[in-house]
Every structure is written in structure tokens, then in C-alpha cells.
Amino acid sequence: MTITRQIQLGNKKVTLQLNKLAKQSNGSVLVSSGGTQVLVTACANKVADKNVDFLPLTIEYAERTYAAGRIPGGYNKREGRPSELQTLTARVLDRPLRSCFPKNYHNDTVITALVLSFESGHDPAPLALLGASCALTISDIPFEGPVASLRVGMKDGQFIIDPSEKETQELDLNIAGKKDSIVMVEAGAQFIDDEKMLEAIEFAHKQMHP
């Protein structure tokens, strides 16, 4: 049974379609914003390895050229190795999610975020984290979530949700948090003071959990 939900982030609508695709996974969510679509799946082994005393969590974030309407050509006609951006995005997904698993949970767990289509102005990375949190929440995998995510920019002192490249020149803030706490902050900025940064974090948290 497919369940569809819509949420409003700033002036953009985000659509979540639960268990529409990849139904053999523990949980799957198709996240859409504009023309950008990200399919996120969560899978886990039912039995933990007795010799493992840590969380064997694997995060894969994949962008394919067909998402932008292109097919690899020339000498290399296949997708290459993950780019540096894809690797860094996978780490951004890993940090907030890893801290939300129980300490005694040691089952092999794999979360895959596949960008199916891309539209400029609709960043797939925050959608991937939102989808991963939803996929884990609806699955039978123990997860102390949910976790929301947001990207915030700034122009002329005004904060902008899900900004374009031009609107991230003063501030580019990626943030993830629960209803009562912030679990991950990654930011780049051009000489803004501490008070403005704290204001941006508070603004993002209120937008994620109004």
C-alpha cells in the first residue's frame, strides 16, 4: 500500500511516497521536489554478527547522468566511480543517522539514495536525508528518529530555504535535527558573526519542526 504525504518547505512542496518502489526493502521512500526525485531505501540483516561490536552502517548516495537527461558517451560509455561530491554527501547523510541507532544495534544496515531526476534549484541532498529518515522510521529497523534536514542560504541578511548557487555566497548551511535537538551542522560562510550563525540555526530548526 502506497502512502503519499506532502510537506511545505518555504515556497516549495516536498512529496513523500512511502513504499511505492523497492518493496522488498525494509523501507523505501520516493522524495520529490519540483523535478528532482530521490529514491531512498533502507535494508538490514535480521541477525547481527556475534563478532561485531560496532554499527556496520553503509550509506550510498548515487547520482547518475540520466537524472539530468544525459547518457555517457565517447570512450567511457558507463557511469564512473562516485565523485567527490557524492562521497561527501554520503558522509553528510551518515553523521546524523548513525547517532540515532540504539547503542546495542550491530546488524548490517545499508541505506541507498538514488537520484532519479534532477532540476536546478531543488537540491537532492537534503531530500536524500529526509527520505532516509522516513525509510528507517517506517521500517522494522530500530531507529530513534525521525530526523529532518534543511539547507539554508542568505542574501542581503535574509535567510532562504533550499537556496540556489547564487543565494549561498553569503551562507551555505546544511543542518539536521530532531524535534528537540540539533544532530548535525555543516556550513560555509563569508565573514558572518556568531550571532547571525546562531540565528540561522534557530531559523532552520523552527522551519524543520514548526
Side-chain angles (χ1 to χ4, degrees):
M1 178 179 178
T2 302
I3 300 175
T4 302
R5 294 289 185 269
Q6 280 191 339
I7 58 176
Q8 188 78 27
L9 285 178
N11 59 350
K12 298 177 181 178
K13 288 185 179 181
V14 177
T15 303
L16 304 170
Q17 294 175 284
L18 284 61
N19 291 328
K20 179 179 181 179
L21 302 173
K23 297 182 179 181
Q24 291 185 338
S25 62
N26 293 70
S28 69
V29 178
L30 180 63
V31 191
S32 307
S33 176
T36 299
Q37 287 189 318
V38 184
L39 174 62
V40 188
T41 61
C43 301
N45 198 333
K46 294 182 179 180
V47 181
D49 189 339
K50 296 181 180 179
N51 298 319
V52 172
D53 59 354
F54 61 93
L55 173 59
L57 174 64
T58 301
I59 306 285
E60 181 181 359
Y61 176 82
E63 294 179 344
R64 300 290 183 251
T65 55
Y66 65 72
R70 299 177 181 177
I71 301 298
Y75 182 77
N76 293 319
K77 293 182 173 60
R78 298 182 180 181
E79 299 283 354
R81 57 185 293 183
S83 65
E84 182 179 354
L85 178 60
Q86 293 180 54
T87 301
L88 293 176
T89 303
R91 293 177 183 176
V92 171
L93 301 181
D94 184 283
R95 286 197 293 270
L97 295 176
R98 186 176 292 272
S99 62
C100 295
F101 287 91
K103 292 183 178 180
N104 61 347
Y105 179 71
H106 300 148
N107 299 39
D108 283 305
T109 305
V110 179
I111 298 172
T112 303
L114 177 62
V115 181
L116 300 179
S117 62
F118 174 76
E119 179 184 352
S120 180
H122 298 268
D123 188 10
L127 301 181
L129 181 52
L130 177 61
S133 174
C134 292
L136 288 167
T137 300
I138 65 174
S139 72
D140 56 353
I141 301 172
F143 180 68
E144 299 170 355
V147 176
S149 64
L150 196 65
R151 189 180 183 200
V152 175
M154 185 174 69
K155 186 176 182 180
D156 299 327
Q158 300 297 317
F159 299 124
I160 302 169
I161 298 174
D162 198 12
S164 64
E165 292 184 5
K166 294 181 179 180
E167 295 167 336
T168 58
Q169 294 178 358
E170 296 181 39
L171 173 67
D172 187 5
L173 171 66
N174 284 303
I175 187 169
K178 297 181 180 181
K179 189 173 184 179
D180 57 352
S181 63
I182 300 294
V183 294
M184 190 275 294
V185 174
E186 184 180 78
Q190 289 192 359
F191 305 106
I192 67 173
D193 54 34
D194 294 345
E195 293 182 357
K196 197 66 176 179
M197 179 60 76
L198 290 174
E199 185 181 344
I201 293 174
E202 291 177 357
F203 168 82
H205 193 251
K206 289 180 181 178
Q207 293 297 319
M208 290 189 294
H209 301 283

